């Protein structure tokens, strides 16, 4: 993996690479190896510029396993809550890297969308110069 990431960064200098940590399982024996691998990924990210580590430590419970609320019924895939957290961690890392505000998406009604368009200011004001 180190060679591949190094190749991407050197051949595409404007590219940033984001590497999420490997998620834990329900099996402690596997998780010890996963922790070692995550340590390796984190070290690699600290050595290479433009390579960012996304630490998913919030998935781990105090018994060194995947928290049950993040596991689907098959104990292999993430639950809806787990997926939501996983993707929110990625979005947060991207926003942080690009200095974007960390906001929650809100659902706009069609009327709100029209009201927010340039030229549709409150009180009938417009952006247009006359």
């Amino acid at each position: 993996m180190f060679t591949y990431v190094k190749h991407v960064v050197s051949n595409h200098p404007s590219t940033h690479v984001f590497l999420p940590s490997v998620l834990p399982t329900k099996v402690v024996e596997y998780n010890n190896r996963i922790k070692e691998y995550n340590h390796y990924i984190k070290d690699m990210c600290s050595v290479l510029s433009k390579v960012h580590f996304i630490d998913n430590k919030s998935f781990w419970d105090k018994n060194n396993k995947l928290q049950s609320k993040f596991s689907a019924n098959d104990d292999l895939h993430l639950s809806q809550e787990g997926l939501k957290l996983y993707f929110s961690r990625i979005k947060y890392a991207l926003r942080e890297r690009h200095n974007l505000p960390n906001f929650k998406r809100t659902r706009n009604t069609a009327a709100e969308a029209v009201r927010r368009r340039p030229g549709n200011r409150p009180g009938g004001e417009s952006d247009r110069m006359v």
Side-chain angles (χ1 to χ4, degrees):
M1 182 197 311
F2 185 77
T3 306
Y4 179 73
V5 170
K6 201 171 174 182
H7 174 78
V8 169
V9 171
S10 63
N11 289 319
H12 305 280
S14 63
T15 301
H16 287 261
V17 177
F18 292 83
L19 295 174
S21 62
V22 178
L23 297 175
T25 68
K26 294 279 191 171
V27 182
V28 176
E29 293 78 27
Y30 294 152
N31 292 340
N32 292 331
R33 186 172 263 173
I34 288 171
K35 280 193 172 197
E36 289 175 22
Y37 192 66
N38 285 340
H39 184 71
Y40 167 76
I41 296 171
K42 189 174 185 177
D43 285 349
M44 179 182 60
C45 291
S46 67
V47 171
L48 296 173
S49 64
K50 298 187 179 183
V51 180
H52 311 277
F53 181 68
I54 301 173
D55 194 354
N56 288 309
K57 61 186 172 192
S58 49
F59 283 89
W60 296 78
D61 70 9
K62 62 184 177 191
N63 297 318
N64 209 26
K65 293 182 181 181
L66 176 66
Q67 289 188 48
S68 57
K69 67 181 176 179
F70 298 131
S71 177
N73 293 334
D74 62 1
D75 288 336
L76 176 63
H77 297 94
L78 291 175
S79 64
Q80 287 294 327
E81 188 175 353
L83 287 169
K84 186 175 178 180
L85 177 61
Y86 184 78
F87 288 113
S88 73
R89 300 286 303 144
I90 293 171
K91 287 180 195 176
Y92 179 81
L94 290 169
R95 287 184 182 130
E96 184 177 53
R97 164 62 194 102
H98 295 288
N99 296 320
L100 297 173
N102 198 14
F103 59 89
K104 289 189 175 187
R105 177 182 285 178
T106 58
R107 296 184 191 272
N108 292 334
T109 64
E112 288 177 279
V114 169
R115 189 173 58 239
R116 292 178 187 215
R117 282 190 199 141
N120 292 325
R121 303 271 182 190
E125 298 173 27
S126 175
D127 291 338
R128 293 185 215 151
M129 301 285 282
V130 181

